[in-house]
Amino acid sequence: MTTYKAPVADTLFLLNEVLGYERHANLPGFADAPADMLEAILGEAAKLAENVVHPLNRIGDVEGCVRNDDGSVTTPKGFKEAYDQYREGGWMSLAIPAEFGGQGLPYTLHSAVGEFFSSANMALMMYPGLTQGAIAAILEHGTDEQKQTFVPKMVEGVWTGTMNLTEPHCGTDLGLLRSKAVPAGDGSYRISGQKIFISAGEHDMSENVIHLVLARIEGAPEGVKGISLFIVPKFVLDADGNPGKRNGVSCGSIEEKMGIHGNATCVMNYDDAQGWLIGEENGGLKAMFVMMNEARLGVGLQGLSISEIAYQNAVAYARERIQGRSLSGPKAPDKKADPIIVHPDIRRNLVNMRAINEAGRALVLWTALQSDIAHRSDDAAARQAASDHLGLMTPVIKGVLTDKGFDNAVAAQQVFGGHGYIEEHGMSQFVRDARIAMIYEGANGIQALDLVGRKLAQNGGRAVQAFFKEVGDFCEENRADETMAPLTKALKKGLNDLQAATMWLMQNAMAKPDNAGAASTDYLHLFGLVALGLMWGRMAKVAQNRVAAGDATALHEAKLVTARYYFERVMPESAAHLARISAGCDSMMALAEDAF
């Protein structure tokens, strides 16, 4: 049986000491959650995650979801009751505007508690997670009537939401989709087609499921320019706005998956289902990207979440498991062997996980704070800079944190040795659950291409240049500080490698596009190394100031040690990434297809 302890203290350290949460009290919602309330909210979320949500994680994996003969789906034992507690506690509505029934609190806070819940039970928390994305799309592109009709019930959690993009023949290339929409003459459309891989597509935890479906209106242009987005509820609403007759949408089957068994990943059949256009005709991709970007940040958070709980359980096992003697002499002479945490290679796994998790958490919360600024600030320049940051960091957070999350789940499993391969210890589930995060909401290769192909050049490179300046300024400001110099020197080396890689792409990608494709994944991870390095630099600076002031805690002391590890043993990977990028695409593309 696995255990979980929400990282409340570390989250508070980041929000209060590193990110300056209280400095943003002028933004709407922040004053409603001052420091004392912030701690209380995080504490309550931790209790629910640890005591109610996490104990169901193993149950969900073993039982899975069941499709019944009538097409309905039964979720694992305890899921509905736990979801009801989550819903009744107002966790769904935390950051939604008050005019739609939300609490209007910061998205930063929503992200912080989101990590706790996702660590505790990733499969269960996908049900409200997809709903959050659907709410965001309706609020951004829906009519006033659509917002008033659907959003309050979704915010309350009595209705849930989905996103329907993928078809059997059509994944990343949405221009190939075949689902069609026929005007019904009454303002609605009739939607027909099949969608696959639809998370939370059918279940027993809410009164209605509001599907957002991409389809092509008859006569629309081919390709992505002819795609529209539709609201298709499971139950069509009656005159009073309540669920009425069953719509022509059904779950054909539940996908048999490697992991996240507790989430109903459905094949959805649309048979002349009634739907309503959201946003502009043929503007569906633009509307769906609101939901996809929200989802991509959420999936990045899933990578961090699985990595955190896998790390916690690996540490607990390493402290208890007795095996062999320390290379430097017995550490537990009263026992027949030492706990495996004394062995350097076990330490390598554990400290590496910790270094990625703590910097990843900082990067997620920093980006969530930028989202609050982008959507709530009355300063146009601040909004633009924050929006630039969001666009730049979305593929980095999604791609890097999910790749690292899977790697860390495997490393945690390795700490358990053979016991990690046995289902009862739970590490296999973390590995299996983590694997999907690298694939859905845009596979990580697509995130890398998005970063290299779109985000670098966007607005004349404004966002990436601002990031380079932020890292460079931090290094320069702390260069003369003897205690910080070893860290900033390593960070500056990583930044130099990243800038050199960027320059190489500028010089070599346009004339030979395969150079960009060949470099993209290495560039994504090189960018991630530097972004995580900036987070470690900032955390170390705060911790060092506390040490100098004589009021450092054990948390601050540990930050300095982990920061040193990151810059000594993780950041040097930047040179390898640069070398691979600079090698170009020739050897990668040289083999003829029939030689593989």
Side-chain angles (χ1 to χ4, degrees):
M1 181 67 178
T2 56
T3 60
Y4 175 64
K5 183 73 174 174
V8 175
D10 196 57
T11 302
L12 288 170
F13 162 74
L14 291 170
L15 293 176
N16 293 329
E17 299 188 56
V18 179
L19 299 175
Y21 176 88
E22 287 196 316
R23 292 202 305 269
H24 299 278
N26 61 311
L27 296 179
F30 277 72
D32 297 324
D36 57 342
M37 184 178 290
L38 184 70
E39 185 169 359
I41 292 172
L42 293 177
E44 288 302 310
K47 289 178 187 176
L48 183 61
E50 294 164 4
N51 301 325
V52 176
V53 177
H54 181 61
L56 298 171
N57 195 47
R58 170 77 171 156
I59 292 171
D61 187 55
V62 173
E63 289 188 7
C65 296
V66 177
R67 180 187 180 277
N68 305 304
D69 290 341
D70 62 357
S72 65
V73 170
T74 302
T75 53
K77 181 175 62 182
F79 267 43
K80 186 179 189 309
E81 291 77 12
Y83 174 76
D84 286 343
Q85 289 192 49
Y86 176 90
R87 175 179 58 76
E88 291 164 3
W91 298 106
M92 180 80 81
S93 66
L94 212 60
I96 305 297
E99 63 182 294
F100 297 106
Q103 300 173 58
L105 297 176
Y107 178 74
T108 307
L109 181 54
H110 165 80
S111 298
V113 302
E115 182 202 335
F116 300 173
F117 289 125
S118 189
S119 279
N121 192 327
M122 177 174 158
L124 173 57
M125 297 319 298
M126 287 172 66
Y127 293 93
L130 269 296
T131 306
Q132 292 283 347
I135 290 171
I138 296 172
L139 287 179
E140 181 78 16
H141 292 283
T143 65
D144 289 341
E145 182 181 2
Q146 288 170 341
K147 293 175 188 177
Q148 295 299 332
T149 298
F150 295 103
V151 171
K153 290 288 189 181
M154 296 171 76
V155 170
E156 189 181 349
V158 295
W159 297 353
T160 53
T162 71
M163 56 190 299
N164 287 239
L165 289 76
T166 307
E167 298 180 4
H169 58 283
C170 163
T172 300
D173 190 353
L174 290 172
L176 299 176
L177 72 77
R178 297 173 185 157
S179 293
K180 66 178 182 178
V182 179
D186 60 358
S188 69
Y189 291 78
R190 298 295 176 174
I191 314 297
S192 298
Q194 186 180 76
K195 300 289 184 176
I196 63 172
F197 307 158
I198 307 306
S199 301
E202 170 66 27
H203 56 84
D204 57 0
M205 297 198 296
S206 65
E207 297 174 2
N208 206 354
V209 182
I210 311 304
H211 302 286
L212 296 194
V213 184
L214 285 181
R216 194 183 307 279
I217 299 173
E218 281 193 327
E222 292 296 316
V224 296
K225 293 182 178 180
I227 297 173
S228 298
L229 182 63
F230 299 88
I231 298 176
V232 187
K234 172 182 173 180
F235 294 104
V236 178
L237 306 187
D238 63 22
D240 297 321
N242 298 315
K245 67 174 183 177
R246 181 66 187 252
N247 206 352
V249 51
S250 61
C251 170
S253 63
I254 297 175
E255 307 282 9
E256 295 187 16
K257 310 185 298 292
M258 176 179 174
I260 55 168
H261 296 151
N263 193 267
T265 308
C266 301
V267 173
M268 300 300 297
N269 296 321
Y270 291 85
D271 300 302
D272 210 29
Q274 190 172 18
W276 288 265
L277 181 69
I278 175 173
E280 298 176 356
E281 187 174 311
N282 301 330
L285 211 57
K286 178 182 177 183
M288 184 58 84
F289 261 111
V290 172
M291 191 172 186
M292 289 179 69
N293 286 335
E294 176 107 6
R296 284 171 175 173
L297 291 172
V299 172
L301 191 65
Q302 287 180 337
L304 166 63
S305 299
I306 290 288
S307 184
E308 174 63 26
I309 190 170
Y311 163 75
Q312 289 187 19
N313 282 272
V315 169
Y317 184 81
R319 287 173 175 160
E320 297 169 358
R321 176 67 168 171
I322 305 299
Q323 201 88 165
R325 286 296 187 189
S326 167
L327 297 174
S328 58
K331 297 298 185 288
D334 57 323
K335 298 179 180 178
K336 293 183 178 181
D338 290 328
I340 63 173
I341 199 168
V342 306
H343 302 308
D345 197 58
I346 296 294
R347 289 292 189 105
R348 175 185 63 83
N349 280 314
L350 296 179
V351 183
N352 203 69
M353 284 185 265
R354 181 188 183 110
I356 297 300
N357 292 350
E358 294 185 7
R361 181 174 300 116
L363 183 60
V364 165
L365 293 177
W366 180 38
T367 302
L369 185 58
Q370 300 307 306
S371 178
D372 279 321
I373 294 170
H375 293 102
R376 303 180 188 219
S377 176
D378 57 7
D379 182 329
R383 287 199 310 272
Q384 182 185 84
S387 182
D388 286 350
H389 174 98
L390 272 172
L392 183 66
M393 286 300 170
T394 294
V396 176
I397 286 175
K398 197 284 182 184
V400 172
L401 293 190
T402 59
D403 276 355
K404 295 296 185 184
F406 178 75
D407 289 347
N408 288 348
V410 171
Q413 185 183 42
Q414 188 74 15
V415 169
F416 276 71
H419 292 287
Y421 201 66
I422 304 301
E423 289 293 340
E424 69 179 275
H425 290 278
M427 306 311 289
S428 170
Q429 183 186 350
F430 296 146
V431 172
R432 289 183 286 104
D433 285 356
R435 188 64 185 89
I436 186 57
M438 303 162 71
I439 299 172
Y440 61 14
E441 304 308 339
N444 286 355
I446 299 299
Q447 303 305 315
L449 287 173
D450 178 43
L451 178 64
V452 168
R454 292 181 64 245
K455 300 302 173 60
L456 292 187
Q458 207 164 51
N459 299 310
R462 186 176 66 207
V464 71
Q465 291 302 323
F467 176 73
F468 289 166
K469 184 177 187 304
E470 194 151 10
V471 180
D473 287 351
F474 179 84
C475 292
E476 184 61 28
E477 289 163 8
N478 294 283
R479 184 167 59 87
D481 185 332
E482 290 184 7
T483 58
M484 288 293 293
L487 310 186
T488 55
K489 182 179 180 181
L491 178 57
K492 189 66 165 65
K493 172 62 168 60
L495 175 61
N496 290 343
D497 287 344
L498 179 58
Q499 289 176 315
T502 306
M503 183 61 67
W504 189 92
L505 283 169
M506 290 173 62
Q507 294 170 344
N508 294 277
M510 289 293 288
K512 200 170 188 178
D514 279 343
N515 276 330
S520 59
T521 291
D522 276 293
Y523 188 86
L524 176 80
H525 280 278
L526 175 51
F527 205 108
L529 278 174
V530 175
L532 295 175
L534 177 60
M535 297 299 97
W536 268 120
R538 289 176 173 171
M539 288 187 283
K541 178 67 174 177
V542 170
Q544 186 58 50
N545 288 345
R546 290 290 295 268
V547 169
D551 63 350
T553 66
L555 183 149
H556 297 104
E557 298 283 0
K559 290 292 179 190
L560 291 174
V561 174
T562 312
R564 193 178 73 204
Y565 175 91
Y566 183 88
F567 286 112
E568 288 179 357
R569 299 189 67 92
V570 181
M571 184 59 83
E573 295 171 12
S574 67
H577 288 302
L578 176 59
R580 287 194 289 264
I581 291 167
S582 303
C585 69
D586 289 350
S587 61
M588 188 180 293
M589 306 303 291
L591 277 178
E593 288 183 20
D594 57 7
F596 281 91

